[in-house]
């Protein structure tokens, strides 16, 4: 191996472990897919080795009969027929393995939790269902689930075809306007798993990520109880003034903050936006500075998204970002 090939090999190997890798499997479905991938790769390696050995044998073997006689011809036909049958058998085995693995991904068993996933251009809306309609709540771009529990996701799209994919936990499945698809998740280990839209859906397709946060039962229950609460009342002069700015500007027409008069449904629910790890579908970490930058000019950060530029003075921007940060 020369010096030039070493960096390329290291770059290739770096893709085997990342926050978004099918080889880092921590969910039942993802583990099944990983096993299928390993099985297919192993079969391919065995076939490749067999072909290499056969070719080496054929090249090194001394040709005893330069003219093909009937016996050699019959032997050649047997070899060709055997290889053809073996190829058909391998394809059949891989097809059956793929079929049963795919079928097992979305079992019809009971689920501990049902969540509606609605894909928008370009962000994710997660609606947590409950028999008591007053207990329902929603988040944006951040999906919390309890560890060791089966979660059923109802996948919907509001505009174009998207694809829900969190490779460490499950396979990918499309979200198609006018049609509901079902995907099940089950995380076997606490952690933060990155997901991504895997179907080209427009200009900002690459900036349509989300996080799946798997927590133990107590942590999940604490999080969900807080999510059901109304937005925190602002404290501090800037946050109080920021709430007034939010309600006076077009912000309230597009976003909801429970406990206030803001009840828009075009954009994400902001009731607890300050507690989320990222904003703008994974584009920025949630800090007061990134909130201010996004509010000031969302079209520069994410061109083509549906949030317009709202004219604000420097004082209004400072106050509004303080209010957004306080919504935890």
């Amino acid at each position: 191996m020369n010096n030039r090939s070493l960096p390329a090999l290291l770059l290739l190997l770096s893709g085997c472990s990342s926050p978004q890798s099918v080889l880092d499997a921590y969910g039942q479905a993802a583990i099944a897919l990983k096993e299928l991938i390993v099985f297919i790769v192993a079969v391919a390696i065995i076939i490749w080795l067999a072909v290499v050995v056969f070719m080496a044998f054929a090249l090194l073997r001394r040709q005893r009969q330069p003219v093909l006689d009937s016996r050699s011809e019959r032997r050649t036909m047997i070899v060709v027929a055997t290889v053809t049958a073996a190829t058909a058998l391998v394809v059949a085995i891989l097809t059956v393995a793929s079929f049963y693995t795919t079928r097992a991904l979305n079992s019809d068993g009971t689920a501990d939790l049902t969540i509606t996933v609605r894909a928008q251009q370009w962000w994710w809306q997660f609606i947590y269902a409950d028999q008591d309609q007053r207990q329902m709540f929603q988040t944006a771009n951040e999906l919390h689930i309890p560890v060791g529990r089966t979660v059923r996701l109802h996948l919907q799209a509001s505009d174009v075809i998207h694809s829900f994919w969190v490779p460490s936990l499950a396979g990918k499945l499309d979200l198609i306007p006018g049609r509901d698809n079902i995907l099940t998740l089950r995380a076997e280990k606490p952690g933060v798993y990155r997901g991504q839209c895997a179907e080209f859906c427009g200009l900002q397709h690459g900036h349509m990520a989300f996080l799946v946060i798997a927590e133990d039962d107590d942590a999940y229950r604490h999080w969900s109880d807080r999510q059901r609460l109304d937005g925190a009342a602002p404290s501090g002069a800037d946050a109080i003034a920021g709430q007034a700015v939010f309600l006076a500007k077009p912000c309230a027409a597009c976003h909801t903050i429970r406990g206030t008069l803001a009840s828009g449904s075009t954009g994400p629910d902001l009731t607890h936006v300050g507690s989320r790890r990222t904003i703008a579908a994974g584009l920025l970490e949630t800090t007061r500075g990134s909130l201010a930058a996004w509010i000031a000019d969302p079209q520069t950060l994410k061109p083509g998204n549906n949030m317009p530029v709202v004219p604000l003075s420097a004082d209004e921007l400072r106050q509004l970002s303080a209010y957004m940060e306080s919504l935890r």
Side-chain angles (χ1 to χ4, degrees), residues 203-222:
L203 180 63
Q204 292 299 324
H205 160 70
H207 291 149
M208 191 173 170
F210 61 95
L211 296 177
V212 177
I213 300 174
E215 306 167 301
D216 60 49
D217 285 346
D218 290 340
Y220 174 77
R221 192 179 302 110
H222 177 73

Side-chain angles (χ1 to χ4, degrees), residues 105-134:
L105 296 183
N106 300 311
S107 61
D108 296 327
T110 58
D112 300 294
L113 181 64
T114 299
I115 303 171
T116 297
V117 179
R118 191 166 296 147
Q120 315 275 2
Q121 284 182 305
W122 291 274
W123 59 282
W124 299 90
Q125 183 180 24
F126 301 115
I127 303 171
Y128 287 71
D130 196 288
Q131 293 180 347
D132 184 351
Q133 295 294 317
R134 294 171 298 178

